[in-house]
Amino acid sequence: MIDTPFTNPFRYSPHPLVRKAAREVMERLDGMISSGLLSDEVARGFTEGKMLGVLVCRSEDKSTERHSEERSDVGISTLAAFSGNVGGQSHIEGFVPPVFDLMEEDGYYRVHEAEITAVNKEIEEMELLEKEPLELRLKEARINMEAEIFLLKTKKKECSSIAESQFANGEIKRAKDRWKNTISELETQLSEVRDRIKSLKKLRAGKSDKLQRWIFEQYIVHNAAGEKASILDIFQKQGLMPPGGTGDCAAPKLLNYAYTHGLKPIAMGEFWYGKSPATAVRTHGHFYPSCTSKCGPLLSYMMQGMDVSGYG
């Protein structure tokens, strides 16, 4: 039996059972990808790089078999999870489900996400079809004004009489007035477009903030003490707002599934599968600590009620 304290997700050496479980998950994924058991989108999502996690649990509950690998140790099983979604899928056989499924068709998230997407499209079209052409016309008008005034002033220098000089001055004034009106009109049009874009961006921000808040209210997580709370409540009690994507990492998925299915977490680890990303140090098969910005407050709450000091 395993009697070590539970893994400190922010500083740990993986338990041998965690290492073994990770190898099994990677081998299983390799086989599913090579044999074509996964859709092209999901297979590509894994091979392009994804953070995975495994959780070793103690339980006699056989209902966990769909998301776990039964071990030879009596009552010991392992759960697997992936961060975020893979190829647009949040439910994949062999992995625990998300804490809350945002991908439900015609659900609140999809409907309001579509509204935000529509506003985004309107902003992009207005910038491309109205703002940018007006900026170009204004720039050209200023250049053309300078060129015409320079030419008229040059011609004035060639005047041989006072009458010709006065006529040239009048030409310069009329040209300046004409260009001033043209530029003023373009500036007014551009200002109106920029104001409309600014208003749309404000509308988008309001919709995004409202949707993000709703999401974090739906993410209800449990801890080892038998308590539960929304992600929004957990962060707000610390004077924080959760970053986007909080609750979708592998670790909170694993712990929440365990708590809600009568499983006792024993050891956990998160590792990288697939290609190394260009933006961070990630190597296939290597274990990494949980992020502190998203998972710091969240996992600290979820691990309340258990002895946490890490393995190794």
Side-chain angles (χ1 to χ4, degrees):
M1 301 299 287
I2 305 173
D3 296 317
T4 59
F6 185 71
T7 311
N8 180 338
F10 307 107
R11 184 179 181 181
Y12 68 97
S13 295
H15 190 284
L17 286 180
V18 168
R19 291 186 181 277
K20 186 178 184 217
R23 287 195 300 271
E24 291 172 351
V25 170
M26 289 189 286
E27 289 170 1
R28 177 163 57 85
L29 263 181
D30 291 343
M32 294 173 72
I33 292 171
S34 62
S35 61
L37 295 177
L38 299 174
S39 68
D40 291 343
E41 293 80 6
V42 171
R44 190 180 306 114
F46 278 120
T47 57
E48 288 182 351
K50 178 61 63 174
M51 189 67 79
L52 307 180
V54 289
L55 176 65
V56 180
C57 307
R58 179 181 292 115
S59 176
E60 299 291 344
D61 186 355
K62 298 301 181 182
S63 66
T64 63
E65 290 181 2
R66 196 168 72 87
H67 306 293
S68 68
E69 298 284 342
E70 290 297 329
R71 313 205 62 83
S72 58
D73 310 71
V74 177
I76 300 298
S77 62
T78 60
L79 304 173
F82 50 82
S83 176
N85 65 75
V86 182
Q89 300 296 314
S90 54
H91 293 266
I92 297 175
E93 188 70 25
F95 295 92
V96 302
V99 174
F100 178 76
D101 189 5
L102 293 174
M103 310 308 288
E104 180 183 350
E105 291 291 339
D106 300 322
Y108 183 96
Y109 175 78
R110 286 290 185 91
V111 170
H112 289 78
E113 182 189 38
E115 292 178 357
I116 294 170
T117 300
V119 175
N120 273 334
K121 185 177 179 181
E122 189 174 355
I123 291 171
E124 290 171 1
E125 289 179 348
M126 192 170 292
E127 288 181 333
L128 180 64
L129 301 179
E130 296 186 52
K131 176 173 165 285
E132 290 180 11
L134 278 171
E135 287 175 337
L136 180 60
R137 287 174 61 191
L138 183 59
K139 180 179 179 181
E140 290 175 343
R142 286 169 174 159
I143 292 173
N144 291 336
M145 179 188 70
E146 290 178 3
E148 183 176 350
I149 299 302
F150 176 80
L151 180 61
L152 290 172
K153 287 182 176 179
T154 300
K155 290 175 65 177
K156 178 187 174 182
K157 292 178 181 178
E158 299 173 356
C159 293
S160 57
S161 67
I162 292 176
E164 288 180 348
S165 181
Q166 288 176 337
F167 179 79
N169 283 334
E171 287 283 273
I172 292 171
K173 183 179 184 305
R174 284 187 291 274
K176 285 182 177 180
D177 290 342
R178 185 177 71 253
W179 280 114
K180 181 180 179 181
N181 290 335
T182 299
I183 290 172
S184 177
E185 184 178 347
L186 289 172
E187 287 176 337
T188 298
Q189 292 176 22
L190 182 57
S191 178
E192 290 173 352
V193 170
R194 284 173 172 166
D195 286 344
R196 297 207 310 270
I197 291 174
K198 184 178 179 180
S199 178
L200 285 171
K201 287 182 176 180
K202 184 177 180 180
L203 174 65
R204 179 182 62 186
K207 286 181 174 291
S208 296
D209 290 345
K210 183 179 178 181
L211 181 58
Q212 192 69 271
R213 186 181 183 89
W214 177 87
I215 290 171
F216 293 134
E217 288 174 340
Q218 309 312 305
Y219 275 68
I220 306 297
V221 297
H222 298 69
N223 64 21
E227 303 165 334
K228 64 180 180 180
S230 72
I231 287 178
L232 184 64
D233 287 340
I234 292 169
F235 274 75
Q236 285 190 334
K237 284 181 179 178
Q238 298 187 34
L240 303 169
M241 277 299 292
T246 301
D248 288 326
C249 294
K253 285 184 180 181
L254 291 167
L255 288 175
N256 203 61
Y257 185 88
Y259 294 143
T260 55
H261 287 77
L263 305 170
K264 181 181 179 180
I266 296 173
M268 182 173 65
E270 293 177 285
F271 58 96
W272 187 257
Y273 179 93
K275 295 179 183 177
S276 298
T279 56
V281 178
R282 294 287 185 269
T283 304
H284 180 76
H286 284 216
F287 285 84
Y288 295 93
S290 297
C291 61
T292 55
S293 61
K294 296 179 184 178
C295 293
L298 180 57
L299 292 182
S300 295
Y301 172 83
M302 297 183 76
M303 293 185 298
Q304 289 178 16
M306 65 167 66
D307 179 11
V308 180
S309 60
Y311 175 82

